[in-house]
Amino acid sequence: MTTILKIDASARGERSLTRRLSSHFVRNWLKHCPEDVVVERDVGRDAPPPVTEEWIACAFTPPSDRSEEQAKMLTLSDILIAELATADIILLGTPMYNYGMPSSLKAWFDQVIRINKTFSFDLGRGDFPLEPILSDKTLVILTSSGEFGFDTGGVREHMNHLVPHIKTCSFYLGVNGDEYIHHIGIEYQEFGDDRHRRSIDEAQNGVATLVEKLVTAM
């Protein structure tokens, strides 16, 4: 049985393109595998709080030394990490805001990438002391952008701080490499022309094709 962690990061509701894509993915998946589990986390509507100095101190305090108040401060982080740990597929629907990720999604990453929970730290490893604790996860990134040309070789590749950032962070989510990362995006949203409509259709079809590919591989 496969567990999908569906994370939606758009601030929009019914008008959100990425919510439509992530829901489309889940509907198609459950048609193939109706017994599989989908865990939903909507950070767009219910954003995790940003980390604070107190939060960081709690995270770096050994569990046996934490006060009750410190443990309480990490409760949400523990819940989010538990959701992540049980997932086989991380399904991430996110718009591009100001060429990067929404603040609510960044807050989620900051809550789950945590020492001795999702990564270990050992200076004995030399210049690369951090290693992920989780492994063997697949990441599906479903995006939307107002402009276009953000992919490799595109006219705005140098402005894309969304997908590269997510890919970098995914190492600490348990995604072992680029071969386990799949990206489908809708573009041209601010133009609202035929290119945008084609982009929506291509993304919808791409999601259905990707589901079939992943179902076969699982």
Side-chain angles (χ1 to χ4, degrees), residues 56-78:
I56 293 170
C58 294
F60 279 85
T61 299
S64 59
D65 295 335
R66 287 178 194 145
S67 66
E68 184 176 340
E69 183 178 346
Q70 285 180 313
K72 185 177 180 180
M73 183 169 286
L74 296 174
T75 297
L76 176 59
S77 174
D78 290 338

Side-chain angles (χ1 to χ4, degrees), residues 47-53 55-56 73 76 103-104 106-108 110-111:
V51 300
T52 62
E53 182 176 3
W55 187 97
I56 293 170
M73 183 169 286
L76 176 59
S103 60
S104 59
K106 178 59 165 60
W108 179 85
D110 289 343
Q111 290 279 344

Side-chain angles (χ1 to χ4, degrees), residues 121-140:
F121 184 89
D122 183 357
L123 287 174
R125 298 177 187 136
D127 289 344
F128 298 91
L130 280 73
E131 282 192 0
I133 293 173
L134 305 176
S135 62
D136 300 325
K137 300 186 185 300
T138 296
L139 174 63
V140 176

Side-chain angles (χ1 to χ4, degrees), residues 71-146:
K72 185 177 180 180
M73 183 169 286
L74 296 174
T75 297
L76 176 59
S77 174
D78 290 338
I79 292 171
L80 298 177
I81 291 170
E83 292 175 348
L84 173 64
T86 59
D88 302 293
I89 295 176
I90 306 163
L91 175 62
L92 180 55
T94 178
M96 175 183 282
Y97 287 168
N98 297 318
Y99 305 104
M101 67 173 74
S103 60
S104 59
L105 181 57
K106 178 59 165 60
W108 179 85
F109 274 106
D110 289 343
Q111 290 279 344
V112 300
I113 299 179
R114 194 173 121 201
I115 191 166
N116 296 328
K117 296 290 283 188
T118 51
F119 74 90
S120 61
F121 184 89
D122 183 357
L123 287 174
R125 298 177 187 136
D127 289 344
F128 298 91
L130 280 73
E131 282 192 0
I133 293 173
L134 305 176
S135 62
D136 300 325
K137 300 186 185 300
T138 296
L139 174 63
V140 176
I141 310 170
L142 305 176
T143 65
S144 65
S145 58

Side-chain angles (χ1 to χ4, degrees), residues 82-215:
E83 292 175 348
L84 173 64
T86 59
D88 302 293
I89 295 176
I90 306 163
L91 175 62
L92 180 55
T94 178
M96 175 183 282
Y97 287 168
N98 297 318
Y99 305 104
M101 67 173 74
S103 60
S104 59
L105 181 57
K106 178 59 165 60
W108 179 85
F109 274 106
D110 289 343
Q111 290 279 344
V112 300
I113 299 179
R114 194 173 121 201
I115 191 166
N116 296 328
K117 296 290 283 188
T118 51
F119 74 90
S120 61
F121 184 89
D122 183 357
L123 287 174
R125 298 177 187 136
D127 289 344
F128 298 91
L130 280 73
E131 282 192 0
I133 293 173
L134 305 176
S135 62
D136 300 325
K137 300 186 185 300
T138 296
L139 174 63
V140 176
I141 310 170
L142 305 176
T143 65
S144 65
S145 58
E147 296 171 288
F148 64 93
F150 293 102
D151 287 336
T152 302
V155 295
R156 292 182 176 86
E157 177 187 2
H158 65 290
M159 301 169 74
N160 183 359
H161 301 286
L162 173 61
V163 176
H165 193 176
I166 292 172
K167 285 184 175 181
T168 298
C169 291
S170 72
F171 183 62
Y172 300 104
L173 304 183
V175 182
N176 295 341
D178 283 352
E179 64 267 34
Y180 301 101
I181 301 175
H182 308 273
H183 172 229
I184 295 173
I186 294 173
E187 298 184 308
Y188 301 99
Q189 186 171 5
E190 295 303 325
F191 296 87
D193 55 15
D194 287 342
R195 295 174 298 176
H196 178 53
R197 288 183 283 274
R198 284 196 301 271
S199 185
I200 292 175
D201 290 341
E202 290 169 0
Q204 293 276 352
N205 293 333
V207 164
T209 300
L210 177 59
V211 166
E212 292 185 3
K213 175 183 176 181
L214 294 179
V215 165

